[in-house]
Amino acid sequence: MVSVQRSSLLVTSLVLAACGDSQAGTDTAATTAETEAPGSSEASGGSEATGTPTTSEPAPTTSTTDGGEAVRPNWHQDIAPLVTASCQSCHVAGGIAPFALTDYEESKQWAGVMASSVALGLMPPWHALETDVCQPPLPYLHDPRLSDEQKAMFQDWADLGAPEGDLALAAPLPSPPSLDLANPTKSITMATPLTVDRVGNTTDFFHCLSLDPGNDAPVYVDGIQVLAGNPKIVHHVLIYVDAGADSASWPGGVKQNCGGGSGIGNAQLIGGWVPGGMPMIAPAGVTTELPAGARLILNVHYHATGGGPEEDKATGLALRWSDTAAEWSTLFTLIGAPGMGTSLNGPLMIPAGASGHVEEYEYTVPAEIPVFADVRVWTVLNHMHKVGVDMRVWVESGDTETCLLHTPKWDFNWQRSYQYDAPIGSSFRVRAGDKVRLRCVYDNTMANPGVVEMLAEAGLDAPVPVGLGEGTLDEMCLTGVGVAIKGGL
């Protein structure tokens, strides 16, 4: 699972946290409706959020019973603490979400949408699920999924007409999760501003930014934070390491319309970010060498608001590093297509009109890893494009099979890595000879909303054969696996 080539040393494999994550990883979060920008066609599995309530405003209701007791659940005692902790990373004035939820007046009209979104599992965006074919070896860090009781609370509140309750009885409001990396060593931002505006029906643009961390000697990274310069239009970000600094030749440090990848052929994906994302921090005792002179590439998905031109001039990264390597060093390996491993089906090709099409890949952990080496998996991410609907990765070791990650409701618009919630020495161990297996399922029909969106972007009205590549009409079947190695190889 790990490459023994030193060129594979990358910035820390990253843990991403979408709206609703808590730093403690507790299940106290609740969430609301879609967080897409107005006019977006990329809502996560539900109806498009446009900034106007999709249900009628709840009927007026009293906040107390005939006996004078507060109606429960109500805003001040029950709902406000959950919304504050879960939603206000995105649902604030000027945020990426199409409406704010910072007080009762703003929130009450969305009560029905909140209830339906959390009941359907559309929010918070979390796609690593336990299934009949996948029981991960450890829980995931920052898992924001709601308990049945929390979901029921939102539904009960909506059913009651969204009562406000008594401000005098209000529960203390928690602080929203911090989105700032503690004690960053350096912050770097884009060198050239970009302006984004709707062009006809096109609202989504992918531009690559090349950033120079400025380290003249190797440094050891344990934390990274994406800085969204204009949250109105920065939809999500993918992060790559350009070890050879090839992107330094881009005029102004920008390659516009670079597609869904890095803009160069030899950079490696190390993670991503979505609105509300928290700092990405390696497990205690783990660092990654960032080679001297390497650059970092941000593939920024900009989503035009439709309200006129918007400028981004400050998107970048905050990095935290030291001059000393920790006991564990981390590598990030890409497996599948395009990555290391062998196809079990031949070249990736999804016929037009195919539903339930499967592509599978296998990678054998190399024998060069010493039998005494301690290699632990600590984060995993899946990656497909818009034809993909279901992806699973597992490890076969002798007669034992361990599922690392299953994303059975794949959504291209909400990509993240999933970090295990365990000390690095207790995380899942791999050994030479273990086989990593990938299974990707695709639906190349008009029944797949991703295909409809993909074709619209390309000006087509019927499915076409889809092969391997980074463009709108291409696909991948790729897993990124972050491992930590005790003492190095």
Side-chain angles (χ1 to χ4, degrees), residues 14 16 179-181 224-229 234 236-239 271-274 277-280 298 300 314-319:
L14 307 171
L16 310 181
L179 303 184
D180 294 326
L181 177 68
I224 188 168
Q225 173 192 355
V226 171
L227 308 172
V234 178
H236 76 251
V237 177
L238 300 179
I239 308 168
W273 172 91
V274 293
M278 293 163 56
M280 299 165 274
L298 304 187
V300 185
T315 289
L317 294 173
L319 301 166

Side-chain angles (χ1 to χ4, degrees), residues 1 52 72 87-88 99 102 106 120 142 146 157 163 174 194 206 241 257 280 302 324 346 376 378 389 414 422 430 475:
M1 184 173 307
T52 301
R72 305 290 295 273
C87 310
Q88 290 180 8
F99 49 86
T102 53
E106 291 174 338
L120 292 171
H142 302 304
L146 305 180
W157 184 59
L194 288 169
F206 296 84
V241 165
N257 302 313
M280 299 165 274
Y302 288 104
T324 305
R376 306 281 177 158
W378 65 274
V389 293
W414 290 107
V430 293
E475 261 299 345

Side-chain angles (χ1 to χ4, degrees), residues 3-175:
S3 170
V4 296
Q5 298 177 358
R6 286 302 170 187
S7 61
S8 294
L9 286 172
L10 302 173
V11 172
T12 305
S13 174
L14 307 171
V15 52
L16 310 181
C19 303
D21 285 8
S22 70
Q23 295 238 20
T26 59
D27 189 24
T28 59
T31 188
T32 60
E34 314 296 346
T35 60
E36 299 299 323
S40 169
S41 60
E42 299 187 346
S44 302
S47 61
E48 183 176 340
T50 62
T52 301
T54 56
T55 59
S56 59
E57 185 173 337
T61 183
T62 60
S63 293
T64 59
T65 66
D66 291 341
E69 300 88 357
V71 174
R72 305 290 295 273
N74 63 56
W75 171 259
H76 288 302
Q77 291 177 270
D78 305 295
I79 303 300
L82 295 177
V83 170
T84 300
S86 308
C87 310
Q88 290 180 8
S89 294
C90 296
H91 287 270
V92 293
I96 190 68
F99 49 86
L101 296 170
T102 53
D103 59 30
Y104 175 69
E105 292 301 322
E106 291 174 338
S107 304
K108 64 179 180 180
Q109 61 184 322
W110 298 102
V113 178
M114 292 183 197
S116 62
S117 294
V118 299
L120 292 171
L122 302 179
M123 288 286 131
W126 179 269
H127 297 90
L129 303 181
E130 296 80 16
T131 65
D132 291 341
V133 293
C134 185
Q135 294 294 320
L138 295 162
Y140 297 112
L141 188 66
H142 302 304
D143 186 342
R145 286 175 289 180
L146 305 180
S147 67
D148 290 342
E149 291 77 10
Q150 290 169 325
K151 293 178 181 179
M153 184 181 297
F154 275 90
Q155 187 62 60
D156 290 345
W157 184 59
D159 291 344
L160 287 169
E164 180 178 6
D166 187 349
L167 179 59
L169 301 175
L173 296 179
S175 299

Side-chain angles (χ1 to χ4, degrees), residues 212-477:
D212 182 7
N215 56 303
D216 296 329
V219 293
Y220 300 91
V221 179
D222 73 350
I224 188 168
Q225 173 192 355
V226 171
L227 308 172
N230 184 343
K232 292 181 180 179
I233 56 174
V234 178
H235 182 281
H236 76 251
V237 177
L238 300 179
I239 308 168
Y240 296 82
V241 165
D242 175 11
D246 294 341
S247 62
S249 63
W250 295 349
V254 176
K255 185 173 185 178
Q256 296 194 31
N257 302 313
C258 59
S262 66
I264 60 175
N266 59 350
Q268 189 165 359
L269 177 71
I270 60 170
W273 172 91
V274 293
M278 293 163 56
M280 299 165 274
I281 301 171
V286 178
T287 57
T288 297
E289 181 184 18
L290 178 60
R295 295 180 77 91
L296 294 166
I297 296 174
L298 304 187
N299 178 290
V300 185
H301 175 181
Y302 288 104
H303 183 85
T305 66
E310 288 280 352
E311 184 182 54
D312 181 20
K313 57 184 179 181
T315 289
L317 294 173
L319 301 166
R320 187 176 65 201
W321 67 58
S322 69
D323 296 330
T324 305
E327 182 180 20
W328 297 76
S329 60
T330 187
L331 301 174
F332 196 82
T333 299
L334 297 179
I335 300 172
M340 295 189 295
T342 302
S343 170
L344 303 183
N345 309 91
L348 191 154
M349 178 57 64
I350 308 160
S355 178
H357 180 84
V358 175
E359 298 279 347
E360 293 189 293
Y361 294 83
E362 180 178 280
Y363 170 71
T364 301
V365 178
E368 289 86 348
I369 294 179
V371 294
F372 55 83
D374 196 347
V375 182
R376 306 281 177 158
V377 176
W378 65 274
T379 190
V380 186
L381 66 87
N382 285 345
H383 179 69
M384 297 187 291
H385 293 176
K386 296 182 179 180
V387 186
V389 293
D390 184 337
M391 183 171 177
R392 177 165 57 100
V393 56
W394 67 97
V395 176
E396 295 176 352
S397 181
D399 296 331
T400 302
E401 181 177 302
T402 303
C403 184
L404 299 182
L405 178 64
H406 192 192
T407 50
K409 299 180 180 180
W410 173 255
D411 185 346
F412 176 80
N413 300 303
W414 290 107
Q415 301 185 50
R416 58 170 293 161
S417 66
Y418 296 89
Q419 180 178 347
Y420 295 125
D421 189 6
I424 192 60
S426 301
S427 200
F428 178 72
R429 185 173 184 177
V430 293
R431 294 174 171 84
D434 287 353
K435 296 184 182 300
V436 183
R437 294 285 304 274
L438 280 68
R439 184 177 189 271
C440 294
V441 183
Y442 304 89
D443 182 352
N444 194 8
T445 73
M446 300 300 283
N448 181 352
V451 170
V452 175
E453 179 180 303
M454 174 188 76
L455 295 173
E457 291 175 357
L460 302 173
D461 58 8
V464 296
V466 174
L468 177 65
E470 294 188 346
T472 299
L473 295 177
D474 300 321
E475 261 299 345
M476 293 184 180
C477 178

